[in-house]
Amino acid sequence: DSGVTQTPKHLITATGQRVTLRCSPRSGDLSVYWYQQSLDQGLQFLIQYYNGEERAKGNILERFSAQQFPDLHSELNLSSLELGDSALYFCASSALTSGPSGANVLTFGAGSRLTVL
Amino acid sequence: AQTVTQSQPEMSVQEAETVTLSCTYDTSESNYYLFWYKQPPSRQMILVIRQEAYKQQNATENRFSVNFQKAAKSFSLKISDSQLGDTAMYFCAFMTPFNDYKLSFGAGTTVTVRA
């Protein structure tokens, strides 16, 4: 158990629908990252939050949105789903510190597998 | 933008032998970090090893070691005494403070350990 909890583990839905993926970061971590892993695109960074604020944005579609709540859990909302949105969605968390002691190490959750039919 | 290239889509190794995975990256930054993550069939992303660019000494974690060549922008992973549990996809990843500490991943190398 990595300490990062993602729910649901699996989700099957239809095109045009909306889903919400949830992530609870590791205790003490303030930063949450969302990644999408698909067969044709590999691992793509979507968005990052730090202590409730959006910190960085990657290749996130306008149909997707995310937020981080005061208790630091995060949700990724995917709407108007298309077949191509089928993928494994990872959440990762980190303390977002760096320095001589080491890098900003990301710890990943087990992922949420989304299948759009 | 930083790019990470893994040129070996698949590799196969006999149990107890050694395999080396290649990774090259492109950056103009001097301060950065490199990682190898392992993704077994369970799909969990597991940190294998990390290297800070300012450290000249190559990182080692048990049977896993890296060969970090900063001038060549190369970061290879050596798995010694391969075990069946090492069968997984391995991703090389790059991070820099100047890119908000986001991880940029390579395409991955699938390693199969044969009994």
Side-chain angles (χ1 to χ4, degrees), chain A residues 25-39:
Chain A
R26 208 174 50 152
S27 178
D29 286 352
L30 299 179
S31 195
V32 169
Y33 306 75
W34 286 97
Y35 282 83
Q36 179 194 57
Q37 185 179 28
S38 60
L39 283 174

Side-chain angles (χ1 to χ4, degrees), chain B residues 9-11 21 37-42 44 46 48 79 83-91 108-113:
Chain B
E10 296 181 9
M11 297 195 75
L21 282 57
Y37 277 86
K38 167 184 176 180
Q39 187 178 39
S42 67
Q44 176 77 52
I46 302 165
V48 174
I79 307 174
Q83 301 176 0
L84 296 178
D86 295 333
T87 292
M89 176 87 87
Y90 288 81
F91 292 95
T109 297
T110 300
V111 173
T112 302
V113 181

Side-chain angles (χ1 to χ4, degrees), chain A residues 2 33 35 37 43 45 48 55-57 88 90 96-110 113, chain B residues 33 35 37 39 42-47 50-52 54-55 89 91 95 97 99-107:
Chain A
S2 69
Y33 306 75
Y35 282 83
Q37 185 179 28
L43 272 157
F45 168 72
Q48 177 199 359
R55 175 98 175 199
K57 230 172 186 177
L88 188 57
F90 281 108
L96 196 60
T97 58
S98 67
S101 62
N104 178 45
V105 177
L106 271 64
T107 302
F108 283 79
R113 178 169 293 284
Chain B
Y33 308 93
F35 304 82
Y37 277 86
Q39 187 178 39
S42 67
R43 296 306 225 174
Q44 176 77 52
M45 292 289 286
I46 302 165
L47 177 65
R50 69 182 188 218
Q51 174 82 41
E52 289 85 351
Y54 62 83
K55 289 186 178 178
M89 176 87 87
F91 292 95
M95 172 192 287
N99 199 23
D100 290 309
Y101 294 100
K102 299 191 298 292
L103 274 175
S104 298
F105 288 92

Side-chain angles (χ1 to χ4, degrees), chain B residues 50-60 66 68:
Chain B
R50 69 182 188 218
Q51 174 82 41
E52 289 85 351
Y54 62 83
K55 289 186 178 178
Q56 292 187 337
Q57 186 173 5
N58 289 324
T60 299
V66 298
F68 175 46

